Amino acid sequence: SYELTQPPSVSVSPGQTATITCSGDELGNKFVCWYQQKPGRSPVLVIYQDDQRPSGIPERFSGSNSGNTATLTISGAQAMDEADYYCQAWDTSTAEVFGGGTKLTVL
Amino acid sequence: EVQLVESGGGLVQPGGSLRLSCAASGFTFSRYWMSWVRQAPGKGLEWVANIKQDGSEKDYVDSVKGRFIISRDNAKSSLYLQMNSLRAEDTAFYYCARDSTDDGIPLAGHPHDSWGLGTLVIVSS
């Protein structure tokens, strides 16, 4: 089965750049999206098709995908960005797959 | 405003059955693929199943194949998940999610642009 691997946690100081990675075999050949989930809330789509931002998502959120790694970048991280982040991809053999999630701490 | 409201969760014994519902509003339900995604308490997200606009295509994660059935009623703008032979490991919040589309075609990667609040299923004796 296809697997996506994320670091369990990432820490960043306010105003600095946070980088969250998502790794999978030949992930660059698939489209990746990212979700933000705050405690007690439903997930929110922040990036789709590797680097596209849905309307309403701040410009500080950006994405990239190449080789075996997709990356979510939050430029100028704010306290409100503290949340769990999940990557997701779709594979023909296993359909939809999520990464294990990364807890972003802004302090 | 897009709204997805799940219902039907609760406590059920191992081996039992439960039917989840998701009432959709604020968009043309029949134009979208829909999915169920679950999250065990304190754990990550897991895709469960999805269904095409007209119900002609369905897919499931391996762990629920043969036990869960996804269906929809476009006239009622509703999505369903019939869960049979429930196991302790099925305990989770179950979210209804809309698949993003471009003129009826799901976007590559099947991103979910709207989610419900979830309904909790607990499988325990």
Side-chain angles (χ1 to χ4, degrees):
Chain A
S1 62
Y2 194 76
E3 293 185 357
L4 296 174
T5 301
Q6 299 180 235
S9 63
V10 167
S11 295
V12 65
S13 300
Q16 299 303 301
T17 297
T19 301
I20 300 173
T21 59
C22 174
S23 299
D25 187 41
E26 298 186 340
L27 186 57
N29 293 333
K30 310 178 194 305
F31 279 111
V32 174
C33 56
W34 292 89
Y35 300 91
Q36 175 194 71
Q37 186 180 33
K38 296 182 178 180
R41 307 293 296 272
S42 303
V44 173
L45 180 68
V46 295
I47 292 290
Y48 66 97
Q49 289 188 331
D50 295 342
D51 57 8
Q52 301 299 301
R53 268 181 298 105
S55 61
I57 300 301
E59 291 184 7
R60 64 180 181 274
F61 287 87
S62 62
S64 63
N65 183 20
S66 180
N68 295 321
T69 303
T71 302
L72 173 68
T73 302
I74 307 173
S75 303
Q78 302 181 7
M80 69 173 64
D81 300 330
E82 194 163 281
D84 293 328
Y85 290 85
Y86 295 90
C87 60
Q88 177 234 308
W90 190 86
D91 178 78
T92 53
S93 61
T94 59
E96 188 168 316
V97 179
F98 285 93
T102 298
K103 181 178 180 60
L104 175 67
T105 301
V106 181
L107 50 72
Chain B
E1 178 193 6
V2 173
Q3 280 201 330
L4 299 169
V5 180
E6 303 92 339
S7 61
L11 175 64
V12 61
Q13 292 188 341
S17 298
L18 214 54
R19 189 195 195 206
L20 305 184
S21 299
C22 170
S25 61
F27 65 101
T28 304
F29 181 73
S30 61
R31 292 177 57 85
Y32 290 83
W33 281 69
M34 297 294 296
S35 295
W36 288 100
V37 177
R38 67 184 178 183
Q39 185 172 35
K43 303 297 185 182
L45 300 171
E46 180 183 39
W47 170 80
V48 175
N50 67 5
I51 185 168
K52 192 177 180 179
Q53 291 97 326
D54 62 1
S56 61
E57 294 183 31
K58 306 173 186 181
D59 202 2
Y60 303 88
V61 67
D62 285 348
S63 60
V64 308
K65 283 181 180 176
R67 300 189 299 124
F68 289 12
I69 300 172
I70 188 172
S71 63
R72 64 192 296 161
D73 184 336
N74 288 339
K76 295 182 178 180
S77 295
S78 293
L79 178 71
Y80 306 101
L81 186 67
Q82 176 66 42
M83 304 187 296
N84 302 320
S85 302
L86 282 161
R87 307 167 180 167
E89 53 265 36
D90 296 318
T91 294
F93 286 94
Y94 284 74
Y95 295 100
C96 167
R98 187 180 81 170
D99 291 16
S100 304
T101 66
D102 181 3
D103 197 22
I105 305 299
L107 295 184
H110 288 259
H112 305 300
D113 59 11
S114 298
W115 298 64
L117 296 180
T119 186
L120 178 60
V121 172
I122 300 174
V123 184
S124 175
S125 54

